[in-house]
Amino acid sequence: MYDVLVIGCGITGAAMAYELSKYELKVAVLEKENDVAEGATKANSAILHAGYDPMPGSLMARLNVRGVELARQLCRELDVPYEPIGSLVLAFSEAQGESVEELYRRGVANGVPELRVLTGEEARAMEPNLSRAVVCALYAPTAAICMPWEYCLALAETAVVNGVELYLEHPVTALEPTGKGWKVTAGGEIFETRYVINAAGMEAGEVHALAAPCPFAIHPTRGEYYLMDKSEGGRVCHVIFQCPSEKGKGVLVAPTVDGNLIVGPNAQEVEGEDTRNTAQGMAYVRERAVESVPAIDFRQSIRNFAGVRAVADTGDFIIGPVDGAPGFFDAAGICSPGLSAAPAVAEYLAHLLEDGGLKLERKPDFHGIRTRVKFNHLIAKEKAALVGENPAYGRVICRCEMVTEGEILDAIHSPIPPRSVDGVKRRAGAGLGRCQGGFCGPRVVELLCRELGLSPGEMLQDEAGSWMLAQETKGGGWHV
């Protein structure tokens, strides 16, 4: 019997697992995909929002501001790339200037520190590549950027190190109340638990409906992005937003923690998890982005991608116990600012669980520090010493990002081992650079096969069914 089962291991589920791993509890996480961070967590803007956009009094407002406060410490303790670069919201007209003033008032009400409204000249002094049409801007110095999948992975790995059990490829298909809690069917297995946390993202409505009639609807909303080469990474040094609308925070332009430039997204309601890029969507992103930063060189795009966020019809996060389903708690509708709010969502839910009867007794031996080798960030003396101890760190596999064999082997033998080439990319960075795995991909496949005892025909690009190779040849090889 588990104390708590968490359904879903995106950023919300991983943060919940991390929070619960601090206590003397038996906890498991059920994830339908073959890795953590496989939904919106791996395909978003990578922004930790300051917290001026949500309506005062909402859960979004309360948990956004607390979440970015917690993120600073978590990223430091868990060795997650994080940069507190601040953000600017641009106004191009008098009417948009009024929107900026309203965002300022909201931010003050939400407790966002150090907000300032700048003139157009002041904004361009900070960001010389901004459009001359900018008349004013809201400056929020507490906004930051991070590596979202690394953040999720770090939380999940730390939870596993501290005793949480993670079950990948375990989609939940049934929930049945028992006298002591719930019987959960997932991946053909049955789990018994006292409490259930529904952090299932896009499927949160369906999971809720297995326990009780669902009073909310999730509207999948696709956002499309350009990822630019590092040659464009210095185009701006803050997160550049446009005034938000009812469809979201608008098209942004921002540096990434890896030194690239990200541009997007649009907002298009879709059916299910449709992550295709479209010509219309990408043209819209490009059109809007150059309104803010006219000099962006889109010839330097190295990848287009799209993510689907779970937008609830309630207009706010849906967090708390479910009427008629004792012991079942929702963490649903966690769209933007979900990445920013995640640790605060987990903290809030832990308090609700405690109010619901769960005893939270701190572990005396909780291990909350995580480190990893980033060879290219070391000085020459440190590199030489590391190669002397382990020659694998002296063999560069990914030339674009200077990722070594030693780092890839560390990823393969980590607390949550990758099951695919993209799983290695998210853990070690091989394939994130300009060639997008064109050179290092075959070597990553070779290392995965060697270390995991797999054949090339079993190797996945990412999710289940995304085979790298198609069929065996007569000579025993494989066709791409």
Side-chain angles (χ1 to χ4, degrees):
M1 169 74 80
Y2 290 96
D3 293 300
V4 185
L5 277 182
V6 180
I7 300 173
C9 203
I11 190 63
T12 304
M16 194 71 234
Y18 170 85
E19 181 68 22
L20 294 175
S21 73
K22 299 174 184 177
Y23 302 100
E24 297 285 4
L25 299 169
K26 188 176 182 184
V27 179
V29 181
L30 306 174
E31 167 55 49
K32 72 182 180 71
E33 302 293 350
N34 66 358
D35 203 355
V36 306
E38 276 287 3
T41 301
K42 76 173 183 183
N44 58 73
S45 305
I47 309 300
L48 297 172
H49 297 279
Y52 49 74
D53 187 54
M55 292 301 295
S58 66
L59 279 174
M60 282 184 176
R62 172 183 166 185
L63 300 176
N64 184 164
V65 175
R66 174 62 176 161
V68 293
E69 179 186 340
L70 292 169
R72 285 193 292 272
Q73 181 175 345
L74 282 170
C75 289
R76 183 173 61 251
E77 292 175 345
L78 303 182
D79 203 8
V80 175
Y82 168 94
E83 293 182 23
I85 61 173
S87 66
L88 293 166
V89 182
L90 308 182
F92 298 94
S93 66
E94 186 176 334
Q96 288 188 354
E98 292 173 4
S99 296
V100 161
E101 293 287 351
E102 170 60 21
L103 290 176
Y104 173 80
R105 289 189 290 270
R106 278 192 213 171
V108 170
N110 292 344
V112 180
E114 303 178 57
L115 287 174
R116 282 195 292 144
V117 177
L118 308 178
T119 65
E121 289 75 17
E122 288 173 325
R124 279 185 290 275
M126 295 173 68
E127 288 286 2
N129 286 317
L130 290 185
S131 166
R132 302 299 302 175
V134 174
V135 298
C136 67
L138 178 65
Y139 174 48
T142 56
I145 56 175
C146 72
M147 184 71 80
W149 57 78
E150 173 84 9
Y151 190 19
C152 179
L153 180 67
L155 291 165
E157 281 187 351
T158 307
V160 168
V161 166
N162 285 284
V164 171
E165 298 173 26
L166 173 63
Y167 294 87
L168 298 172
E169 297 183 282
H170 274 67
V172 172
T173 54
L175 286 162
E176 181 184 337
T178 66
K180 296 181 180 179
W182 293 87
K183 184 165 69 173
V184 181
T185 304
E189 298 183 58
I190 293 176
F191 301 82
E192 292 197 54
T193 182
R194 295 171 60 205
Y195 297 90
V196 174
I197 301 292
N198 172 22
M202 292 300 308
E203 284 78 40
E206 287 88 339
V207 169
H208 180 114
L210 295 173
C214 188
F216 61 85
I218 298 293
H219 298 286
T221 303
R222 180 175 60 205
E224 300 173 68
Y225 295 86
Y226 287 92
L227 180 66
M228 317 298 286
D229 185 60
K230 286 180 171 62
S231 60
E232 285 294 295
R235 187 68 66 182
V236 295
C237 56
H238 298 79
V239 181
I240 307 300
F241 290 108
Q242 297 169 342
C243 282
S245 69
E246 68 280 355
K247 290 189 175 182
K249 296 178 175 65
V251 171
L252 63 85
V253 179
T256 72
V257 291
D258 278 332
N260 301 86
L261 189 77
I262 190 171
V263 182
N266 59 340
Q268 177 68 45
E269 197 167 314
V270 293
E271 293 291 328
E273 297 185 54
D274 184 351
T275 57
R276 292 175 294 179
N277 284 102
T278 65
Q280 182 180 8
M282 298 309 294
Y284 173 84
V285 168
R286 183 170 177 166
E287 259 175 44
R288 295 300 310 276
V290 296
E291 293 174 6
S292 300
V293 186
I296 298 170
D297 183 1
F298 283 91
R299 294 172 299 179
Q300 301 305 315
S301 175
I302 61 172
R303 188 178 186 88
N304 300 333
F305 69 94
V308 178
R309 50 197 182 271
V311 180
D313 59 0
T314 61
D316 199 0
F317 295 157
I318 302 163
I319 302 172
V322 172
D323 290 340
F328 185 93
F329 289 73
D330 276 324
I334 313 294
C335 56
S336 182
L339 180 68
S340 312
V345 170
E347 183 183 68
Y348 178 60
L349 265 169
H351 290 312
L352 293 179
L353 285 165
E354 188 174 30
D355 291 342
L358 182 65
K359 183 179 179 181
L360 298 182
E361 180 182 344
R362 287 270 181 174
K363 286 179 180 173
D365 57 348
F366 174 74
H367 184 68
I369 301 298
R370 168 186 178 268
T371 59
R372 62 188 183 96
V373 172
K374 291 169 255 188
F375 190 81
N376 201 34
H377 294 184
L378 302 177
I379 62 174
K381 184 178 179 180
E382 292 170 328
K383 289 178 179 178
L386 194 58
V387 173
E389 293 173 10
N390 183 350
Y393 289 112
R395 294 190 282 272
V396 174
I397 302 299
C398 174
R399 291 183 283 177
C400 296
E401 298 296 302
M402 293 299 290
V403 178
T404 67
E405 180 178 330
E407 292 165 274
I408 293 171
L409 294 178
D410 289 344
I412 293 172
H413 298 288
S414 64
I416 305 175
R419 302 185 180 187
S420 67
V421 171
D422 281 359
V424 169
K425 176 171 71 173
R426 289 189 288 271
R427 286 160 176 80
L432 283 176
R434 185 179 181 91
C435 83
Q436 289 291 290
F439 287 99
C440 65
R443 287 288 286 123
V444 172
V445 170
E446 180 185 350
L447 290 170
L448 277 166
C449 288
R450 185 188 80 193
E451 296 298 311
L452 301 181
L454 300 174
S455 72
E458 297 174 282
M459 188 49 55
L460 299 171
Q461 178 70 47
D462 195 359
E463 68 275 359
S466 60
W467 309 111
M468 291 288 292
L469 305 171
Q471 65 181 24
E472 195 169 6
T473 66
K474 290 180 181 178
W478 296 86
H479 289 306
V480 176

